Amino acid sequence: QAPIKATCEEDMSCKTGFPEDVHSAVVSRSVHGGQPLLNVRFRSCDGNKKIHFGSSEPEDFRVGEDGVVYAERSFQLSAEPTEFVVSAQDKETQQEWQMRVKLTPEPAFTGASEKDQRKIEDIIFPWQQYKHSSPLKRQKRDWVIPPINLPENSKGPFPQELVRIRSDRDKSLSLRYSVTGPGADQPPTGIFIINPISGQLSVTKPLDREQIASFHLRAHAVDVNGNQVENPIDIVINVIDMNDNRPEFLHQVWNGTVPEGSKPGTYVMTVTAIDADDPNAQNGMLRYRILSQAPSSPSPNMFTINNETGDIITVAAGLDREKVQQYTLIIQATDMEGNPTYGLSNTATAVIAVTDVNDNPPEFTAMTFYGEVPENRVDVIVANLTVTDKDQPHTPAWNAMYRMTGGDPTGRFTILTDPNSNDGLVTVVKPIDFETNRLFVLTVAAENQVPLAKGIQHPPQSTATVSITVIDVNESPYFVPNPKLVRQEEGLLAGSMLATFAAQDPDRYMQQTSLRYSKVSDPANWLKIDPVNGQITTTAVLDRESIYVQNNMYNATFLASDNGIPPMSGTGTLQIYLLDINDNAPQVHPKEATTCETLQPNAINITAVDPDIDPNAGPFAFELPDTPASIKRNWTIVRISGDHAQLSLRIRFLEAGIYDVPIVITDSGNPHASSTSLLKVKVCQCDLNGDCTDVDRIVGAGLGTGAIIAILLCIIILLILVLMFVVWMKRRDKERQAKQLLIDPEDDVRDNILKYDEEGGGEEDQDYDLSQLQQPDTVEPDAIKPVGIRRLDERPIHAEPQYPVRSAAPHPGDIGDFINEGLKAADNDPTAPPYDSLLVFDYEGSGSTAGSLSSLNSSSSGGEQDYDYLNDWGPRFKKLADMYGGGDD
């Protein structure tokens, strides 16, 4: 690629202004905002002038104070040269100079060898102004070096020479050149190198624009001593983009939606691809197109795509979800502005779902639907209304709503929608009477939850009729009125007719016999009902004062039954309001009272009680009877209100005791009712406060029956416990005394080896069961006990104790006490040996009643006896039988 070229003519004569009228420059086709393009030269004969530069295209180009032209924005140069005017104005004199600038885009790279294309350009350090005593010399003004454009991915050979940097002073001085900046001595280092002697700048390896798009280096010139000879100059190296990256879609599969019935030009979705190449160059300029559409109905070109933005829109009418629910498009993105020859391509898939709109109303599957319902039933479904809707199921465009437009003025039916099947469920919400309505003909309409889309020619709703037949069923009889109120005076005698409580059967069209009546509830058992005609008569006297009467009202319940299939029944309540008659005499309250034996204080307040109500109750009249005469002589009564009176002593002193005072009480009924009530009055001695102080008062109170019974029960329980304890103790003694000394008969002594003597084993040897021992005979209570316990091998040093003499004919008995006394004597003897010594519990002494055994001789005394019976004693006596019963052997 050719470098930027600038041509400047220099006139030897000093003339203020631009050195040329037209300045031409070759720049890159892609211009970036802020990029320096060229340096315009302005000649000022008077170095003190302050010059301001301007541009005729300020939105595109800007000229700095140093004469460098910068791009204000990023843009692409057209193939034709771009022209604009650069102006210079003296800030003091306002004098202005102009120069026309012509920018020509550099030619495209044709692929020829870079060596042939590139001619190494010299970059000379600008001259500097020096003030000396000598006359002024013409100096060059500083300029900006145009950028160096270097294609990426160059194949070399490397290092590849770019430019040669030199100074005019290298003729008189030995200079050294160097470059600094990223890519040279800063990361990434080593990309650019410079020959320190010749100033040749080279690149060492291929560049990648996608990693670094430009390098900014600074060239330096110093003498051999390291002193700066020239001011550093900036070198910009732009990496020219090559089409080495294929477009990539952000998603491999794009999803979009479009409503059915959409008009052409409706926006659907946007697909986007990116290219890592320069987006301002053709390498990064993408173009989109649709490669295929599936399915191809109703048209193979239902959609189009904006080739620059990737927007997909509809281009044909006829989108119908009920026919095609989804379209699949293959989208291709190509760079190089879509050039099929040089551009790189990639593809992605766009899936477009056709969404449903309400373009199909619900339609009934039949013009008339039929159903039936038993009378008096509610919350039952009597008919299913079925509809069809071609829209997407379970959407507002498919969900049906039903309403009744006629045939149900009383609102006995409602229509619910089944959310799964979309059917209409005709449901009864109010009871229906067969005797009133036998048939209903309903008019219903069905429509969607959302209105139909605009432009649909179908009617928005569908209508049908529903014929519902009411089925007659056996209904329960009912009493009229219920409850029935009857007013009746109390005291009505048994067997009297009270009222007729009849029921009605609503089933007028059924063949069944008359109703039968029975009683359900009659708390006082006062009534009975005729099972045929429902006539109610009394079986006892009606009493308003009964406990079953509340607020003068008595309730009884009766049942009426028919003989239908199935049998039905109904109940009714008869309410009897009982009117009061004067059938109860008043009584005194309380029945007992206490007063003092003296005249003061001795008043007793009493009250008259009458179960009747006004006017058969108070006010009451109180008086004392004439007989016996002592009543009026000792007592007096005074009425203090309509229901209360006061009884007091008439005499000064009445002996303490209990008195029965009869009182005659008469009510205000017509006729009057009166009674004589006995008031038990206890007269006692009183203190100054009027309280009884007699002991009789306390004794008279006594214990109640319940307290006496409780005390007796406690005494009986205590006696039973004592008796049980005594019986248990007696039984325990008997069991202990009933033990035999010898073992049981089944444990024959001849079949067992008995140990009569065994040394003790210490403290663990003390737990013996002595209940199995027997005593030979009753031991005399005055027998002398042994003096002490001695060892078997020790001769007694004390007088020998007198042991009890055993009877010649001993009989079984308990010798436990005998042994226990010996143990007790040994325990109390301080000279007794320790527990593990051999103890003597029985010492024969010298006066044994038994004869001496020394004269016994087994060989002489038993020689003629028959010992064959030993063979019958078992295997344990076999050896003994062989010894004695074996004959001469």
Side-chain angles (χ1 to χ4, degrees):
Q1 180 160 337
I4 300 175
K5 298 178 180 179
T7 305
C8 296
E9 294 291 337
E10 181 181 354
D11 192 355
M12 298 302 295
S13 61
C14 183
K15 180 182 179 180
T16 300
F18 291 103
E20 51 191 353
D21 295 333
V22 178
H23 183 85
S24 299
V26 180
V27 297
S28 174
R29 183 181 296 272
S30 299
V31 178
H32 305 282
Q35 175 183 346
L37 300 177
L38 71 151
N39 185 8
V40 296
R41 299 175 60 189
F42 184 81
R43 184 179 299 165
S44 177
C45 296
D46 184 2
N48 296 326
K49 287 182 178 291
K50 295 182 178 180
I51 303 300
H52 173 71
F53 294 97
S55 171
S56 62
E57 302 291 340
E59 67 276 2
D60 294 333
F61 305 100
R62 175 178 58 85
V63 185
E65 294 295 329
D66 54 358
V68 179
V69 180
Y70 297 92
E72 279 292 283
R73 62 183 181 87
S74 300
F75 58 90
Q76 294 283 333
L77 291 177
S78 61
E80 298 297 326
T82 301
E83 296 183 2
F84 63 97
V85 175
V86 176
S87 62
Q89 186 179 21
D90 189 339
K91 294 183 178 180
E92 295 180 356
T93 63
Q94 301 298 320
Q95 185 179 358
E96 185 175 304
W97 297 269
Q98 292 185 348
M99 180 182 66
R100 189 160 52 90
V101 179
K102 181 185 293 185
L103 298 179
T104 303
E106 60 186 3
F109 180 67
T110 59
S113 67
E114 297 180 11
K115 203 170 189 180
D116 298 337
Q117 293 289 327
R118 180 180 299 277
K119 180 182 178 181
I120 304 304
E121 182 182 7
D122 289 347
I123 298 178
I124 302 175
F125 283 91
W127 294 352
Q128 300 182 14
Q129 297 179 357
Y130 297 97
K131 293 184 179 180
H132 302 283
S133 59
S134 59
L136 290 174
K137 296 183 178 180
R138 180 173 56 82
Q139 304 288 334
K140 283 188 177 181
R141 180 180 175 86
D142 291 349
W143 69 86
V144 175
I145 305 301
I148 300 173
N149 296 322
L150 185 62
E152 65 174 334
N153 302 324
S154 175
K155 296 183 180 180
F158 297 100
Q160 178 181 343
E161 297 178 353
L162 300 179
V163 293
R164 187 163 61 91
I165 300 172
R166 71 181 183 85
S167 173
D168 288 344
R169 302 184 66 182
D170 61 356
K171 297 177 181 180
S172 59
L173 296 174
S174 177
L175 303 181
R176 296 293 183 267
Y177 300 97
S178 63
V179 290
T180 59
D185 62 340
Q186 299 177 18
T189 61
I191 297 179
F192 299 97
I193 60 175
I194 190 171
N195 189 312
I197 303 299
S198 63
Q200 183 69 47
L201 180 64
S202 304
V203 61
T204 61
K205 59 181 180 181
L207 304 179
D208 188 356
R209 191 205 68 85
E210 285 72 43
Q211 293 183 359
I212 302 177
S214 64
F215 295 88
H216 296 266
L217 305 178
R218 176 164 286 194
H220 306 269
V222 298
D223 58 15
V224 293
N225 295 323
N227 298 320
Q228 179 177 316
V229 177
E230 303 281 2
N231 290 331
I233 60 173
D234 293 329
I235 301 175
V236 178
I237 301 175
N238 291 327
V239 183
I240 304 303
D241 184 43
M242 305 296 290
N243 191 18
D244 58 345
N245 290 280
R246 190 176 296 274
E248 296 290 341
F249 282 92
L250 297 180
H251 305 286
Q252 193 59 36
V253 179
W254 297 77
N255 294 290
T257 60
V258 61
E260 63 175 332
S262 296
K263 296 180 179 180
T266 303
Y267 171 80
V268 179
M269 62 189 299
T270 298
V271 296
T272 304
I274 58 175
D275 197 317
D277 293 326
D278 188 357
N280 299 312
Q282 288 185 344
N283 299 334
M285 293 182 179
L286 306 182
R287 297 295 182 266
Y288 301 92
R289 70 190 185 100
I290 298 176
L291 297 181
S292 64
Q293 168 192 310
S296 59
S297 62
S299 170
N301 298 312
M302 296 295 295
F303 305 92
T304 187
I305 188 171
N306 187 310
N307 63 348
E308 293 186 3
T309 62
D311 294 342
I312 300 176
I313 59 175
T314 60
V315 295
L319 290 174
D320 190 353
R321 190 204 65 84
E322 286 72 37
K323 295 180 179 179
V324 179
Q325 299 183 0
Q326 179 177 288
Y327 289 92
T328 302
L329 308 180
I330 305 300
I331 310 298
Q332 183 187 59
T334 307
D335 58 14
M336 296 296 290
E337 295 183 323
N339 190 319
T341 303
Y342 301 105
L344 302 178
S345 302
N346 212 337
T347 59
T349 302
V351 179
I352 302 174
V354 182
T355 59
D356 186 37
V357 298
N358 192 16
D359 56 346
N360 294 282
E363 297 180 1
F364 283 103
T365 58
M367 296 300 298
T368 305
F369 296 89
Y370 298 93
E372 59 183 19
V373 57
E375 63 175 331
N376 299 324
R377 295 284 300 277
V378 294
D379 296 331
V380 293
I381 299 174
V382 298
N384 276 26
L385 310 181
T386 56
V387 295
T388 58
D389 195 319
K390 297 179 181 179
D391 292 321
Q392 184 176 357
H394 307 292
T395 62
W398 178 82
N399 295 335
M401 297 187 304
Y402 299 88
R403 58 187 178 88
M404 280 178 288
T405 59
D408 185 24
T410 58
R412 298 183 181 274
F413 300 91
T414 188
I415 304 178
L416 305 177
T417 303
D418 188 330
N420 296 320
S421 64
N422 213 25
D423 293 347
L425 309 177
V426 182
T427 308
V428 181
V429 294
K430 293 182 180 180
I432 303 174
D433 188 8
F434 173 82
E435 285 71 26
T436 304
N437 299 97
R438 300 186 183 185
L439 179 66
F440 289 88
V441 178
L442 310 178
T443 304
V444 297
E447 56 188 359
N448 292 125
Q449 290 181 349
V450 294
L452 285 176
K454 295 181 179 180
I456 305 300
Q457 303 300 324
H458 299 286
Q461 64 183 18
S462 178
T463 59
T465 58
V466 183
S467 179
I468 300 176
T469 303
V470 183
I471 302 174
D472 189 18
V473 297
N474 186 25
E475 300 177 79
S476 300
Y478 61 92
F479 289 87
V480 180
N482 189 16
K484 183 176 182 178
L485 179 63
V486 176
R487 299 176 65 90
Q488 177 63 47
E489 283 188 353
E490 65 173 329
L492 185 64
L493 299 179
S496 302
M497 190 274 185
L498 182 62
T500 299
F501 198 21
Q504 298 179 7
D505 193 341
D507 299 312
R508 299 192 300 269
Y509 302 100
M510 283 190 174
Q511 299 295 331
Q512 54 189 16
T513 60
S514 58
L515 302 177
R516 304 288 294 181
Y517 300 94
S518 60
K519 186 171 63 173
V520 175
S521 173
D522 182 12
N525 199 23
W526 287 343
L527 309 173
K528 70 175 182 179
I529 187 170
D530 188 282
V532 177
N533 56 23
Q535 190 177 51
I536 299 175
T537 57
T538 60
T539 59
V541 177
L542 304 183
D543 186 7
R544 192 199 65 84
E545 289 75 31
S546 171
I547 60 174
Y548 302 106
V549 177
Q550 301 294 330
N551 298 324
N552 303 328
M553 191 74 70
Y554 180 77
N555 295 324
T557 305
F558 299 92
L559 180 73
S561 305
D562 61 18
N563 61 344
I565 300 176
M568 302 297 293
S569 60
T571 60
T573 301
L574 179 65
Q575 294 181 334
I576 305 174
Y577 187 86
L578 294 175
L579 303 176
D580 185 41
I581 62 175
N582 195 12
D583 57 344
N584 293 281
Q587 300 291 328
V588 68
H589 181 77
K591 297 292 186 181
E592 297 180 356
T594 303
T595 187
C596 298
E597 60 185 1
T598 58
L599 183 62
Q600 293 295 337
N602 63 352
I604 301 172
N605 293 326
I606 60 174
T607 302
V609 178
D610 194 335
D612 294 327
I613 60 176
D614 189 69
N616 298 319
F620 300 96
F622 300 87
E623 58 181 347
L624 298 175
D626 296 333
T627 57
S630 60
I631 298 300
K632 284 189 175 183
R633 182 175 65 250
N634 298 335
W635 304 92
T636 181
I637 190 168
V638 177
R639 191 178 75 170
I640 58 178
S641 67
D643 298 338
H644 305 282
Q646 198 171 67
L647 179 69
S648 59
L649 285 174
R650 180 184 294 272
I651 58 179
R652 291 182 176 274
F653 176 81
L654 182 62
E655 185 179 357
I658 297 176
Y659 298 87
D660 291 332
V661 180
I663 299 175
V664 179
I665 305 175
T666 306
D667 60 22
S668 300
N670 186 16
H672 299 296
S674 63
S675 66
T676 300
S677 300
L678 288 179
L679 176 63
K680 187 178 294 293
V681 180
K682 180 185 295 184
V683 179
C684 61
Q685 296 179 1
C686 298
D687 56 14
L688 296 177
N689 297 324
D691 298 328
C692 287
T693 59
D694 290 352
V695 179
D696 295 341
R697 173 169 168 260
I698 300 175
V699 177
L703 290 176
T705 304
I708 296 175
I709 293 175
I711 293 174
L712 292 176
L713 286 176
C714 292
I715 295 174
I716 292 173
I717 292 173
L718 183 61
L719 292 175
I720 291 175
L721 292 176
V722 172
L723 181 61
M724 290 176 63
F725 180 76
V726 172
V727 170
W728 178 76
M729 291 295 295
K730 297 287 287 182
R731 183 176 179 182
R732 182 183 174 191
D733 292 341
K734 277 188 176 182
E735 288 179 353
R736 188 164 56 90
Q737 295 175 2
K739 297 296 183 179
Q740 300 295 322
L741 178 62
L742 299 178
I743 60 175
D744 294 334
E746 57 268 16
D747 295 331
D748 197 314
V749 70
R750 294 172 297 178
D751 294 335
N752 294 276
I753 298 176
L754 302 179
K755 291 185 179 181
Y756 292 98
D757 193 8
E758 184 176 2
E759 290 187 356
E763 288 79 4
E764 299 177 357
D765 252 5
Q766 306 307 312
D767 189 11
Y768 289 99
D769 185 8
L770 303 179
S771 61
Q772 301 297 327
L773 300 178
Q774 294 179 345
Q775 66 179 7
D777 199 356
T778 304
V779 181
E780 295 179 4
D782 297 331
I784 300 175
K785 304 303 178 186
V787 176
I789 306 299
R790 292 176 300 277
R791 293 181 184 273
L792 188 62
D793 56 349
E794 180 183 5
R795 183 183 180 89
I797 58 177
H798 301 284
E800 294 184 359
Q802 296 298 322
Y803 288 92
V805 179
R806 296 180 182 176
S807 173
H811 60 83
D814 187 4
I815 65 171
D817 291 339
F818 179 77
I819 297 178
N820 286 332
E821 290 176 1
L823 285 173
K824 185 176 180 181
D827 290 339
N828 295 330
D829 186 6
T831 63
Y835 287 111
D836 55 355
S837 299
L838 180 61
L839 303 180
V840 178
F841 295 98
D842 193 6
Y843 185 73
E844 289 187 0
S846 57
S848 176
T849 58
S852 176
L853 300 179
S854 59
S855 61
L856 293 177
N857 190 329
S858 60
S859 60
S860 61
S861 60
E864 297 180 358
Q865 295 187 15
D866 185 7
Y867 295 100
D868 291 338
Y869 63 89
L870 295 176
N871 294 321
D872 300 333
W873 287 9
R876 295 186 180 183
F877 293 89
K878 186 175 185 305
K879 185 66 176 176
L880 190 62
D882 293 341
M883 293 173 59
Y884 289 91
D888 295 340
D889 295 338

